Amino acid sequence: MALAVFKPFGLDAWQWKACVHLVALGLIGVFICMITDIILKYIVKMPRSFKNGAEYIIRRNLWFQFINTPLVALGICLYRHFVLSDRVEGNQFSLVNFLETLAIIAFCSFAIGLYWRFKYRSKYLAMELEETRQLNEELKELQENLLISMSTDSLTVVTDAKSEAISTENEVEEAIEKPRPQNLTLTGTTNESVTLHISHLLFIEAVGNYVKVSHLRDGEVHADMLRATMKQMEETLQGYPMIVRCHRAFLVNLGQVEQIVSHSGSTQLLIKHCHESLPVSRSNMAQVKAAIKREES
């Protein structure tokens, strides 16, 4: 469109034939764009994918412009040299002509790039909002199933007591799989410890050489400090699929997440009772999603 409006390279001297040359230049541009896409996909290893987010698409488009712009400029310069130079002087291939063509194509590419940035960002954000809505629904269903599971565990305890009255201890142990302990004690490298019910754990935050354990006690939120590392806490809680790492500084109990919120490409978890927001890093987002879907299924 820019070439059609401004008619550089002496295209205006061709009158109606200029339209034919514009179509030819357009086809050259499309062909080189296809080559650039192949280079990005198989050589640079950057396939087109919305799954990697808006930032990935924008970065890919920048690479596309960086490779495509000089190639298109070169293709147009060759067309000028072999097709247009016989009637209009100054179209012979030279460094000056290449730089002139490169400047024109770079300007057009920049304008088109701005459009695609806004387009991809808007489309990705819409997809992200829809995915967040689905995750919130799955999270709610997961928490409902968790409540049912806890009720079932209580009934299992009663059943176990009755079974012990009519069976030997060894038979009961063989017939019934022992559940994970719901009450546990978190300890550090010092004498401090925190004893809690696993469902009452809200989140654990790394604070320097300590970790802050936020949990419910008698219906109120308490925070206890332990001299320990996040790796130690993660290893202690690895048998509880509801406890996942959402950030390098946070372990969260998905059963205590009130809502998942996405805004401008960032994701946060709103925690019940204390209404704090925990960040979700991109590297840990897949782990959070997998935990919700695994437990929900």
Side-chain angles (χ1 to χ4, degrees):
M1 291 179 63
L3 295 178
V5 172
F6 296 105
K7 292 187 175 63
F9 324 132
L11 284 174
D12 53 346
W14 292 86
Q15 298 179 0
W16 67 270
K17 294 181 181 179
C19 297
V20 178
H21 293 297
L22 286 171
V23 171
L25 291 173
L27 293 176
I28 290 173
V30 171
F31 177 71
I32 294 177
C33 284
M34 294 171 62
I35 294 177
T36 305
D37 207 67
I38 293 174
I39 292 173
L40 278 175
K41 185 174 181 179
Y42 296 104
I43 298 179
V44 186
K45 303 297 183 182
M46 293 186 71
R48 187 187 302 273
S49 173
F50 282 110
K51 295 180 180 179
N52 294 329
E55 298 302 325
Y56 171 84
I57 292 293
I58 291 174
R59 188 168 66 255
R60 183 188 185 280
N61 283 349
L62 288 175
W63 271 99
F64 186 94
Q65 289 177 259
F66 179 76
I67 297 172
N68 187 70
T69 302
L71 290 180
V72 172
L74 178 63
I76 292 178
C77 281
L78 293 176
Y79 186 85
R80 291 174 62 185
H81 178 79
F82 291 108
V83 179
L84 300 180
S85 60
D86 60 340
R87 179 170 176 177
V88 179
E89 293 294 329
N91 278 316
Q92 289 77 14
F93 187 84
S94 65
L95 179 61
V96 174
N97 281 349
F98 175 75
L99 293 177
E100 174 194 23
T101 307
L102 181 63
I104 294 172
I105 300 305
F107 173 79
C108 297
S109 179
F110 175 76
I112 295 172
L114 284 179
Y115 165 77
W116 283 112
R117 283 185 184 89
F118 285 114
K119 178 180 176 64
Y120 277 121
R121 181 174 291 277
S122 300
K123 186 171 184 177
Y124 174 75
L125 290 177
M127 292 172 60
E128 190 178 56
L129 289 174
E130 175 61 22
E131 185 180 33
T132 302
R133 184 190 65 79
Q134 293 179 358
L135 276 176
N136 277 307
E137 291 181 355
E138 292 174 353
L139 178 63
K140 184 177 180 181
E141 185 175 351
L142 166 62
Q143 293 171 347
E144 291 174 352
N145 291 338
L146 182 63
L147 291 175
I148 296 174
S149 177
M150 291 175 63
S151 301
T152 303
D153 289 343
S154 300
L155 292 175
T156 302
V157 172
V158 176
T159 304
D160 290 349
K162 292 181 179 179
S163 298
E164 288 178 356
I166 60 175
S167 305
T168 65
E169 183 177 351
N170 292 334
E171 290 174 341
V172 172
E173 289 180 355
E174 292 176 357
I176 300 175
E177 181 183 357
K178 293 183 179 179
R180 293 186 299 269
Q182 297 301 301
N183 291 302
L184 74 159
T185 300
L186 301 176
T187 59
T189 57
T190 58
N191 294 328
E192 292 85 358
S193 63
V194 179
T195 300
L196 50 79
H197 192 279
I198 191 62
S199 65
H200 293 165
L201 177 65
L202 301 179
F203 63 90
I204 300 176
E205 178 183 2
V207 183
N209 294 326
Y210 291 81
V211 293
K212 183 175 73 172
V213 181
S214 294
H215 60 102
L216 294 176
R217 186 189 302 156
D218 298 327
E220 295 184 357
V221 178
H222 289 263
D224 294 290
M225 303 295 292
L226 295 176
R227 189 175 179 83
T229 64
M230 290 296 285
K231 184 178 181 180
Q232 290 174 322
M233 294 294 101
E234 196 169 18
E235 290 175 352
T236 302
L237 297 167
Q238 65 180 353
Y240 301 91
M242 289 292 292
I243 312 299
V244 297
R245 194 159 192 164
C246 62
H247 188 270
R248 62 182 179 85
F250 291 96
L251 284 168
V252 64
N253 181 4
L254 292 176
Q256 294 290 353
V257 174
E258 183 175 2
Q259 188 180 12
I260 302 173
V261 179
S262 293
H263 179 68
S264 300
S266 64
T267 304
Q268 294 182 328
L269 305 177
L270 299 183
I271 307 301
K272 297 177 181 179
H273 308 290
C274 60
H275 301 294
E276 290 199 32
S277 299
L278 305 187
V280 181
S281 62
R282 292 188 181 276
S283 59
N284 292 107
M285 188 63 199
Q287 183 179 351
V288 174
K289 292 178 181 177
I292 293 175
K293 294 179 182 299
R294 179 178 63 249
E295 288 298 298
E296 186 270 336
S297 59

